[in-house]
């Protein structure tokens, strides 16, 4: 519960820190229960899984259609629950914002899930897609090393951005005059001329149809930061170039900021918007078969 008015003066700094820690613990404990209920593992022992004790960890079995989990998946789930039960930091996304993506994951998992940004909520996202492919793209190598040290089961690539937030307005004005940026061509791999295109990603990113794309990175709150312009543009291109059937679900966080708002309107399109909850927008992008030179 938040304190207001004169109530604040009754708490010392140490007491305030304790209260904040307790609030975070309540939030995170609720999150672990939510994770367990979502995955249907509330009746599964967290640490003394009989299958692990019998040596299954050396005989990893694939995720089956009957809903059983491999030893590797169970280890990841256990790690995620322990992490969120003990970590004293509330995720940046609110519970309602997280639920927007979770609702789609429930219908799609196991699926291909691409996430721009790596953080303390990454274990949660990977655990909510058991048996699927969850891949994180992060711009800061030292941050990747830090997160993977505590969560070695996560899969993450370091990527480089060619943009800055301070360039966002100019890039948006210039893109219609760049044929390589047009929706008619819309390609990423090796696209040197279109600065918005993420042209140096790993091959598996280009070769995969991504069912869900969450854009919660890179950093975008100061002029020299790379911003999310390239991530939004590239997600639109990936969705439009999807080879398989069905739409791509794209989620963009921090839609209260100018760059995220204008770029989603330009490349993901208001007509494809499913909903906005808090600062998170959900867009459903169908593959495009025609040669329309415009995104929207």
């Amino acid at each position: 519960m938040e304190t207001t008015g004169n109530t604040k003066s009754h708490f010392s700094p140490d007491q305030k820190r304790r209260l904040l820690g307790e609030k975070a613990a309540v939030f995170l404990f609720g999150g672990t229960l939510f994770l367990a209920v979502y995955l249907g593992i509330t009746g599964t022992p967290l640490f003394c899984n009989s299958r692990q004790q019998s040596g299954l960890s050396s005989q990893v079995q694939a995720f089956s259609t009957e809903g059983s989990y491999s030893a590797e998946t169970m280890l990841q789930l256990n790690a995620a629950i322990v992490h969120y039960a003990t970590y004293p930091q509330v995720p940046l996304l609110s519970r309602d914002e997280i639920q927007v993506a979770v609702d789609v994951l429930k219908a799609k998992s196991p699926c291909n899930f691409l996430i721009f940004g790596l953080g303390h909520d990454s274990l949660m996202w990977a655990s909510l897609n058991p048996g699927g492919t969850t891949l994180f793209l992060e711009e800061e190598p030292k941050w990747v090393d830090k997160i993977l040290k505590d969560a070695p089961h996560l899969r993450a690539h370091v990527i480089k951005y060619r943009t800055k937030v301070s360039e966002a307005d100019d890039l948006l004005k210039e893109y219609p005059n760049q044929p390589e940026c047009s929706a008619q061509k819309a390609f990423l791999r090796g696209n040197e001329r279109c600065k918005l295109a993420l042209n140096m990603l790993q091959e598996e990113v280009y070769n995969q149809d991504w069912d869900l794309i969450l854009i919660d990175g890179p950093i975008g709150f100061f002029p020299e930061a790379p911003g999310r312009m390239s991530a939004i543009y590239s997600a639109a291109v990936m969705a439009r170039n999807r080879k398989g059937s069905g739409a791509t679900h794209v989620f963009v966080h921090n839609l209260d900021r100018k760059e995220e708002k204008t770029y989603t309107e330009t490349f993901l399109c208001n007509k494809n918007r499913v909903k906005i909850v808090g600062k998170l927008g959900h867009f459903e992008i169908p593959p495009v078969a025609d040669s329309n030179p415009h995104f929207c």
Side-chain angles (χ1 to χ4, degrees):
M1 182 174 64
E2 295 183 0
T3 57
T4 58
N6 295 330
T7 311
K8 290 184 178 179
S9 62
H10 297 311
F11 296 101
S12 68
D14 287 340
Q15 288 174 320
K16 289 179 181 178
R17 281 193 292 271
R18 269 200 310 274
L19 285 172
L20 181 60
E22 289 170 0
K23 287 171 66 178
V26 170
F27 183 97
L28 294 169
F29 180 70
T32 62
L33 291 178
F34 167 77
L35 180 62
V37 170
Y38 168 84
L39 293 167
I41 59 172
T42 50
T44 303
L46 295 183
F47 305 107
C48 301
N49 188 292
S50 59
R51 295 190 298 168
Q52 292 174 0
Q53 290 178 333
S54 63
L56 184 61
S57 58
S58 63
Q59 305 170 13
V60 177
Q61 298 178 355
F63 179 86
S64 74
T65 56
E66 287 78 17
S68 61
Y69 297 98
S70 70
E72 183 178 359
T73 297
M74 287 306 304
L75 287 172
Q76 180 172 295
L77 297 177
N78 291 347
I81 291 172
V82 170
H83 174 79
Y84 293 112
T86 59
Y87 196 80
Q89 181 171 330
V90 176
L92 294 178
L93 274 71
S94 70
R95 170 67 181 269
D96 289 341
E97 290 169 342
I98 291 171
Q99 188 67 51
V100 174
V102 168
D103 287 342
V104 178
L105 275 170
K106 282 182 179 180
K108 297 290 184 180
S109 183
C111 63
N112 298 323
F113 191 8
L114 182 67
I115 301 175
F116 288 86
L118 183 71
H120 297 297
D121 60 351
S122 297
L123 264 174
M124 174 190 69
W125 292 122
S127 298
L128 291 173
N129 187 29
T133 297
T134 305
L135 179 64
F136 300 88
L137 303 179
E138 170 63 41
E139 78 273 18
E140 179 50 58
K142 291 182 180 179
W143 182 244
V144 172
D145 292 342
K146 175 180 173 57
I147 296 296
L148 295 188
K149 181 180 179 181
D150 296 328
H153 296 289
L154 296 179
R155 298 181 62 240
H157 293 320
V158 177
I159 66 173
K160 293 183 178 181
Y161 290 90
R162 299 184 288 163
T163 58
K164 297 178 182 179
V165 171
S166 59
E167 303 171 330
D169 290 341
D170 289 338
L171 288 169
L172 204 58
K173 291 176 183 176
E174 293 169 4
Y175 114 83
N177 301 320
Q178 292 284 346
E180 289 79 9
C181 289
S182 72
Q184 192 169 16
K185 288 192 174 180
F187 72 101
L188 300 178
R189 185 193 281 111
N191 191 343
E192 296 283 349
R193 291 181 179 273
C194 181
K195 200 171 181 180
L196 288 171
L198 291 173
N199 65 333
M200 295 293 287
L201 299 176
Q202 286 75 6
E203 286 299 308
E204 70 170 314
V205 182
Y206 297 130
N207 295 335
Q208 189 72 269
D209 272 354
W210 297 102
D211 303 300
L212 282 77
I213 301 175
L214 171 61
I215 301 173
D216 197 20
I219 295 172
F221 57 86
F222 59 92
E224 296 302 305
R228 298 177 185 174
M229 301 84 69
S230 292
I232 293 169
Y233 172 86
S234 298
V237 173
M238 291 178 192
R240 290 172 63 88
N241 290 346
R242 182 183 178 91
K243 298 177 180 64
S245 60
T248 303
H249 295 264
V250 181
F251 306 90
V252 182
H253 195 220
N254 294 119
L255 278 185
D256 57 319
R257 297 196 300 223
K258 175 187 172 184
E259 291 76 25
E260 280 81 352
K261 184 176 186 295
T262 55
Y263 272 74
T264 54
E265 289 175 351
T266 302
F267 298 112
L268 300 179
C269 315
N270 287 334
K271 66 181 181 182
N272 296 326
R273 190 176 67 204
V274 178
K275 64 173 68 173
I276 294 178
V277 175
K279 299 178 182 179
L280 186 79
H282 174 200
F283 299 81
E284 193 170 334
I285 316 297
V288 178
D290 60 27
S291 57
N292 189 336
H294 305 291
F295 282 88
C296 299

